[in-house]
Amino acid sequence: MDVMIRAAAPAEHAALGAITAEAYLGDGLLDGPGDPYLARLRAVERRAAEAEVLVAVDPEGAVLGGVTYAAPGTPWRDIAGPDEAEFRMLAVARAGRGRGVGEALVRACVERARAAEGVRALVLSTQPAMLPAHRIYRRLGFLRTPERDWEPVPGLRLMTFRLPLEGPA
């Protein structure tokens, strides 16, 4: 698939917010359209101001998906330690699924983390039901870190993965 990964432009924020919300709702990862997490998923403008939001676009410029890359020191990190970057809210539109878009977005996060001085690992949290994403993470070398699994809200258990970038894991 011919896809370009780049920083999200302000004019793309609403489209990416809709794609992210639809991906989470459509995959049954939320408690329906009233789930309070939807507001955070749609808040691309805020994420872009406080972290780095990347989009995958096709040759015509249509947004196919996106991800939030949170470098050390940014407020969008949930589980990252001081020498770790984190990515969150990986989402791919139905039109981009099965075409390598998700993997391209994850690879872009890996590249950013590898290029960042002092970053030793890239981490993420994921729901157990996100099996296609888990396959991408494992294929790219991410390791499960069950000792870091957590619950952001009672009853929502998140699994964690970590990709060592240098030195011991």
Side-chain angles (χ1 to χ4, degrees):
M1 146 149 236
D2 192 18
V3 63
M4 180 183 9
I5 308 298
R6 58 169 171 71
E12 297 165 328
H13 290 173
L16 181 56
I19 287 168
T20 308
E22 172 53 36
Y24 277 67
L25 279 170
D27 290 346
L29 302 171
L30 301 173
D31 290 330
D35 192 306
Y37 194 58
L38 272 174
R40 284 182 69 82
L41 294 173
R42 289 186 175 119
V44 177
E45 181 176 354
R46 178 174 170 210
R47 284 189 271 144
E50 299 174 342
E52 185 176 6
V53 176
L54 304 174
V55 290
V57 296
D58 70 12
E60 289 76 41
V63 176
L64 298 173
V67 66
T68 298
Y69 173 80
T74 59
W76 284 88
R77 297 163 6 115
D78 281 329
I79 63 163
D83 63 349
E84 296 174 327
E86 183 169 347
F87 72 85
R88 302 185 50 196
M89 302 176 182
L90 174 66
V92 178
R94 295 271 174 230
R97 293 193 177 188
R99 298 167 60 188
V101 172
E103 184 168 332
L105 287 161
V106 174
R107 284 183 182 278
C109 291
V110 171
E111 289 170 12
R112 277 162 175 70
R114 284 193 194 284
E117 187 174 332
V119 174
R120 295 182 42 116
L122 180 61
V123 298
L124 66 107
S125 300
T126 181
Q127 291 188 31
M130 296 175 164
L131 297 177
H134 299 177
R135 286 190 289 274
I136 293 170
Y137 307 147
R138 286 188 173 99
R139 185 167 52 250
L140 296 180
F142 284 81
L143 306 171
R144 271 284 288 126
T145 51
E147 69 280 4
R148 293 174 84 168
D149 291 358
W150 63 296
E151 290 187 7
V153 294
L156 177 59
R157 187 88 179 142
L158 297 180
M159 301 167 58
T160 61
F161 285 82
R162 182 176 189 269
L163 177 68
L165 301 174
E166 60 180 48

